């Protein structure tokens, strides 16, 4: 490959960074940025366009020209691994790298990323990535890495300290016998194949054109692959493998934590965690966390490809949105939640702290999703003045927290399951992290969280800007464009909250259950799970307490009342059938017999048949 014309494709969700990198490359005559993308979906679209252009140019060759394969027009893809998770329907980072190496093997990939997790970097390397540079690399070193990887070589000389031990058992090869080597390598090889198969099936499931049957078959195949991965992890893991203690990762200067957690996360330390006997992530736990989170989020993202109709009997705020806007909002919440989990893990938040930070975490998630969905500087023209939308919406934090966010159930259980792999306790059972049963129930909790946060994003919009034409044309479904329909929609929501507050929630507490909103391929459905709520039951007052008393009275009186009514009904039936019925039957039979006798006498005469008349002897 000639270094005189290296064509580069940049993928990063930060447009300022793309501009800066393109400006740097423009200073060197042998580097040229020919295309840019902000997420994995746009990257694949750009590559498809370049491939089509190359094929068209190849067909226009002179007839006597020597045949040559069409050149893609790109010599190197420079990828921000974190941006590969962005965009609706995008593949995750390692899955995207695997897709690129499988479909575009002639184009090497260089990671220029802020990601420093050894597990992700190792997965990217195994997926075919040829080089890695952390963001902040000196320009001279970065240009050298670009030229080296584009020239067909690899560049992994600046991996983080933990990432240098990619094959962790290489230093122990001399001490292992052949049988032990097979035992050590077999799980890793099998898991790589299983992970690649799961990534391929997940990519196919993101196709919105799939029919119901194909989608069901692919979903079943993915469940089988996940079960196989769990079995491999469980049965083939070396019993004598001891997880090494993990060092606390260094925070980057430009990392930002949620607003209400920043001060507290500064004070956390690995030493305090060890001294307190709290769970500390090991390299193996780090990989498990990444695999568990990636699998769960990819499965949820795949279900957002439908129109997501509301199949429940509840009015939801997101029902007012167009189908594409509803998918965009739910994807935004899912993506922001993934970032929240990464920040929690990075800041070494421990298990006992999750309950204390619960409200702050979900409030930060709502704020981040609101800013991302509407845009930080989104303005509306109302009359003769411009209104900044996001500050107005975020001003309803107290109302939104009280009515929606604080009522989302089992958040601490979900976060501790994803961060620390604690068993997920639902429906009076504990499910081990990574098992198919735990994945299914964690998906239900995740869906409910995402839907409720999305409702919380839309609620302030309906309170402050319900009938502005720009909002209606940009966000609303066509069924809700008229003023009358919007007011009807808002009234339905108001009644829902009143009924839920005074009847629905006390009933659920009294029945020891939570109602969850989940997503399947039909749409949004409603389901319930068992959970002990005795403490909440003791705190009910006023109308809410009266509802439980009515329910208890009904439970106490209704069976006896039914027994009494049943007994009285049986007595009435006996009297009607055995006494009155028989009496009426006897009377009717006598009447019928009398009518029969009269009819016979009238037909045959008084003497009746067989009687002889008088004989005249004269």
């Amino acid at each position: 490959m000639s270094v005189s014309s290296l064509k580069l494709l940049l993928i990063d969700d930060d447009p300022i960074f793309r501009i800066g990198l393109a400006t740097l490359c423009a200073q060197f005559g042998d580097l040229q940025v020919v295309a840019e993308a902000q997420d994995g979906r746009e990257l694949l679209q750009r590559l498809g366009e370049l491939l089509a252009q190359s094929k068209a140019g190849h067909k226009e060759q002179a007839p006597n020209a020597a045949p040559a394969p069409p050149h893609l027009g790109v010599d190197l893809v420079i990828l921000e691994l974190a941006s590969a998770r962005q965009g609706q329907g995008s593949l995750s980072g390692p899955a995207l790298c695997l897709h690129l190496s499988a479909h575009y093997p002639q184009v090497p990939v260089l990671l220029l990323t802020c990601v420093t997790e050894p597990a992700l970097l190792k997965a990217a390397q195994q997926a075919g990535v040829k080089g890695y540079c952390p963001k902040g690399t000196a320009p001279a070193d970065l240009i050298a890495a670009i030229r080296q990887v584009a020239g067909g070589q690899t560049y992994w000389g600046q991996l983080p300290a933990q990432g240098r031990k990619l094959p962790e058992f290489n230093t122990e090869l001399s001490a292992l016998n052949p049988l032990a080597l097979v035992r050590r390598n077999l799980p890793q090889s099998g898991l790589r194949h299983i992970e690649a198969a799961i990534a391929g099936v997940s990519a196919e499931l993101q196709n919105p054109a799939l029919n119901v049957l194909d989608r069901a078959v692919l979903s079943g195949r993915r469940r089988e692959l996940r079960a196989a991965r769990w079995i491999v992890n469980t049965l083939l893991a070396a019993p004598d493998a001891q997880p090494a203690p993990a060092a606390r990762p260094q925070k980057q200067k430009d990392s930002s934590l949620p607003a209400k957690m920043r001060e507290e996360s500064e004070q956390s330390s690995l030493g305090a965690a060890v001294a307190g006997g709290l769970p500390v992530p090991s390299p193996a736990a780090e990989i498990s966390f990444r695999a568990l989170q990636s699998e769960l989020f990819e499965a949820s993202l795949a279900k957002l490809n439908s129109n997501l109709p509301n199949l429940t009997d509840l009015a939801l705020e997101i029902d007012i949105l167009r189908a594409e806007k509803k998918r965009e909002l739910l994807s935004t919440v899912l993506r922001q939640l993934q970032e929240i989990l990464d920040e929690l893990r990075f800041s070494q938040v421990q298990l006992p702290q999750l309950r204390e930070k619960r409200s702050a975490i979900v409030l930060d998630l709502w704020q981040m999703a609101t800013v991302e969905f509407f845009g930080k500087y989104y303005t509306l023209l109302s009359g003769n003045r411009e209104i900044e939308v996001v500050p107005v919406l975020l001003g309803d934090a107290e109302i939104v927290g009280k009515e929606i966010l604080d009522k989302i159930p089992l958040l601490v259980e979900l976060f501790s399951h994803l961060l620390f792999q604690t068993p997920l306790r639902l429906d009076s059972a504990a499910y081990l992290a990574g098992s198919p049963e735990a994945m299914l129930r964690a998906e239900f909790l995740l869906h409910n969280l995402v839907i409720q946060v999305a409702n919380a994003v839309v609620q302030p919009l309906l309170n402050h800007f319900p009938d502005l034409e720009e909002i209606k044309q940009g966000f609303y479904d066509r069924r809700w464009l008229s003023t009358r329909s919007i007011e009807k929609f808002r009234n339905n929501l108001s009644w829902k909250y009143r009924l839920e507050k005074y009847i629905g929630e006390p009933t659920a507490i009294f029945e020891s259950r939570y109602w969850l909103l989940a997503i399947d391929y039909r749409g949004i459905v409603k389901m319930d799970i068992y959970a002990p709520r005795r403490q909440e039951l003791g705190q009910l007052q006023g109308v809410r307490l009266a509802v439980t008393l009515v329910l208890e009275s009904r439970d106490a009186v209704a069976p006896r009342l039914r027994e009494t009514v049943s007994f009285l009904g049986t007595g009435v039936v006996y009297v009607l059938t055995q006494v009155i019925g028989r009496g009426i039957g006897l009377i009717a039979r006598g009447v019928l017999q009398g009518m029969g006798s009269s009819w016979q006498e009238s037909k045959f005469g008084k003497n009746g048949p067989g009687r002889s008349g008088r004989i005249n002897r004269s």
Side-chain angles (χ1 to χ4, degrees):
M1 179 182 296
S2 173
V3 296
S4 59
S5 58
L6 294 180
K7 295 180 174 57
L8 312 178
L9 192 158
L10 309 182
I11 170 173
D12 196 297
D13 59 347
D14 186 352
I16 304 301
F17 182 84
R18 295 201 305 268
I19 293 173
L21 184 56
T23 303
L24 175 65
C25 293
Q27 298 177 8
F28 300 88
D30 60 331
L31 302 180
Q32 179 185 3
V33 176
V34 296
E36 298 180 10
Q38 66 177 354
D39 54 46
R41 176 187 56 79
E42 190 174 348
L43 169 64
L44 297 180
Q45 181 180 350
R46 294 285 183 270
L47 288 174
E49 294 172 354
L50 292 171
L51 181 60
Q53 294 173 4
S54 299
K55 289 181 178 179
H58 181 65
K59 291 179 180 180
E60 294 175 358
Q61 289 181 349
N64 57 354
H71 189 267
L72 189 59
V74 174
D75 299 316
L76 180 67
V77 171
I78 301 178
L79 173 66
E80 162 62 316
L81 198 59
S83 298
R85 297 194 298 265
Q86 308 294 325
Q88 179 181 335
S90 298
L91 297 176
S92 65
L96 177 63
C97 297
L98 188 65
H99 180 87
L100 292 175
S101 59
H103 293 81
Y104 304 98
Q106 71 276 28
V107 183
V109 177
L110 171 67
L111 297 183
L112 179 58
T113 176
C114 61
V115 174
T116 59
E117 286 80 2
L120 277 181
L121 297 177
K122 179 178 179 180
Q125 187 181 43
Q126 292 174 345
V129 173
K130 300 301 182 183
Y132 161 76
C133 285
K135 282 188 174 180
T137 300
D141 295 336
L142 177 59
I143 297 302
I146 291 174
R147 290 169 175 164
Q148 185 172 328
V149 176
Q153 304 177 39
T154 59
Y155 188 90
W156 291 88
Q158 299 184 8
L159 282 171
Q162 291 175 311
R164 297 182 192 277
K165 303 178 182 179
L166 290 178
E168 296 179 358
F169 50 86
N170 280 351
T171 58
E172 306 171 9
L173 290 181
S174 58
L176 295 176
N177 57 43
L179 183 59
L181 284 176
V182 172
R183 186 177 182 181
R184 294 291 296 269
N185 292 336
L186 180 61
Q188 299 300 325
S189 175
L191 285 173
R192 282 196 296 269
H193 287 289
I194 293 174
E195 290 290 352
I198 290 175
V201 174
S202 299
E204 293 183 43
L205 280 171
Q206 292 174 4
N207 181 9
L210 282 177
N211 56 45
V212 176
L213 179 60
D214 291 340
R215 191 175 294 278
V217 171
L218 289 173
S219 299
R221 184 182 176 191
R222 184 168 61 180
R223 285 193 296 271
E224 293 173 355
L225 289 169
R226 290 172 177 170
R229 181 178 62 187
W230 179 74
I231 292 173
V232 171
N233 278 323
T234 303
L235 300 182
L236 296 184
D240 55 347
Q242 297 295 331
R248 176 183 173 88
Q250 274 193 332
K251 293 186 180 181
Q252 299 177 357
K253 293 182 179 179
D254 58 347
S255 65
S256 57
L257 296 177
K260 293 180 174 57
M261 298 165 50
R262 190 173 293 112
E263 295 181 1
E264 299 163 322
S265 64
E266 297 281 344
Q267 303 171 358
S268 62
S269 64
L270 182 61
V274 174
L278 300 176
V280 180
S282 65
E286 182 177 342
I287 296 175
S288 300
F289 164 81
R290 282 294 175 186
L292 180 64
Q293 178 179 325
S294 176
E295 187 174 321
L296 184 61
F297 279 66
E298 285 179 12
S300 301
L301 189 62
K303 292 183 178 180
L304 300 182
N305 290 321
S306 67
N307 289 332
L308 301 175
N310 183 4
L311 304 179
T312 73
D313 56 352
L314 297 175
L316 303 178
E317 283 84 350
I318 58 176
D319 289 341
I320 202 170
L321 300 177
R322 298 199 305 267
E324 62 272 17
K325 282 295 182 180
K326 187 187 299 185
R327 288 194 297 268
E328 179 185 346
L329 176 56
L330 294 173
S331 300
T332 298
V333 176
L334 197 63
R335 186 169 63 250
Q336 299 302 325
L337 176 60
Q338 198 168 21
E339 293 184 6
I340 288 282
L341 290 173
D342 289 341
E343 291 170 353
L344 288 172
R345 176 174 169 272
F346 182 80
S347 61
Q348 297 280 334
V349 172
Q350 301 303 320
L351 186 57
Q353 296 175 302
L354 283 178
R355 294 193 181 278
E356 303 173 6
K357 298 176 180 294
R358 188 253 186 225
S359 297
I361 292 171
V362 70
L363 186 62
D364 282 322
L365 174 59
W366 169 72
Q367 292 173 343
M368 294 166 62
T370 301
V371 173
E372 179 72 15
F373 182 65
F374 292 104
K376 185 175 182 180
Y377 303 105
Y378 180 48
T379 59
L380 289 174
L381 186 62
S382 178
N384 295 326
R385 63 191 184 96
E386 287 188 347
I387 302 175
E388 292 189 6
V389 174
V390 171
V392 175
L393 301 183
L394 296 183
D396 283 359
E398 183 177 354
I399 298 174
V400 167
K402 182 179 179 181
E403 293 185 356
I404 301 178
L405 301 180
D406 291 341
K407 297 181 180 180
I408 301 176
L410 304 173
L411 277 188
V412 175
E413 289 77 3
L414 176 63
F415 288 161
S416 63
H417 179 71
L418 293 177
L419 292 171
F420 305 109
Q421 290 80 54
T422 59
L424 190 60
R425 298 185 179 276
L426 288 178
D427 294 325
S428 300
Y431 303 97
L432 295 178
S435 65
E437 296 83 2
M439 290 294 297
L440 181 63
R441 286 157 178 81
E443 194 171 346
F444 293 154
L445 296 180
L446 177 64
H447 291 176
N448 184 70
L449 170 60
V450 171
I451 294 173
Q452 296 292 5
V453 173
N455 286 333
V457 171
V458 178
Q459 189 195 63
L461 184 74
L462 294 173
N463 289 338
H464 295 281
F465 312 107
D467 203 16
L468 287 181
E469 196 63 29
E470 183 177 344
I471 293 293
K472 293 193 293 184
Q473 296 298 329
F475 295 92
Y476 290 178
D477 187 270
R478 60 180 303 175
R479 297 173 299 166
W480 308 107
L481 293 181
S482 69
T483 302
R484 179 182 178 183
S485 62
I486 293 173
E487 293 305 317
K488 179 181 178 181
F489 185 87
R490 297 177 66 198
N491 289 333
N492 290 338
L493 288 175
S494 298
W495 276 109
K496 181 195 78 169
Y497 283 111
R498 292 190 183 98
L499 293 175
E500 180 66 20
K501 178 179 180 180
Y502 294 110
I503 298 178
E505 188 175 353
T507 302
I509 293 174
F510 190 55
E511 295 175 350
S512 299
R513 63 178 177 176
Y514 286 111
W515 286 104
L516 302 181
L517 297 173
I519 302 172
D520 63 16
Y521 292 109
R522 298 171 299 158
I524 299 175
V525 296
K526 184 179 178 182
M527 58 177 296
D528 68 286
I529 57 173
Y530 166 79
R533 308 184 68 176
R534 184 69 184 176
Q535 183 177 0
E536 296 175 80
L537 183 62
Q539 297 174 351
L540 294 179
Q541 296 177 350
V543 177
R544 291 152 60 86
L545 178 61
V547 169
T548 63
L549 296 177
V550 170
L551 292 174
E552 186 176 3
S553 301
R554 185 193 66 180
D555 294 340
V557 174
R560 284 75 188 173
L561 183 60
R562 283 195 297 266
E563 292 175 1
T564 303
V565 172
S566 177
F567 176 77
L568 294 177
T570 303
V572 171
V573 171
Y574 179 82
V575 171
L576 291 176
T577 57
Q578 301 298 321
V579 179
I580 300 178
R582 285 190 175 186
I584 293 176
L586 291 174
I587 295 173
R589 186 169 62 180
V591 171
L592 292 175
Q593 288 178 349
M595 292 176 61
S597 300
S598 301
W599 179 76
Q600 288 180 354
E601 290 178 359
S602 64
K603 180 178 180 181
F604 298 107
K606 185 176 181 181
N607 294 328
R611 293 185 177 183
S612 60
R614 297 179 60 185
I615 300 175
N616 188 358
R617 298 181 177 179
S618 60

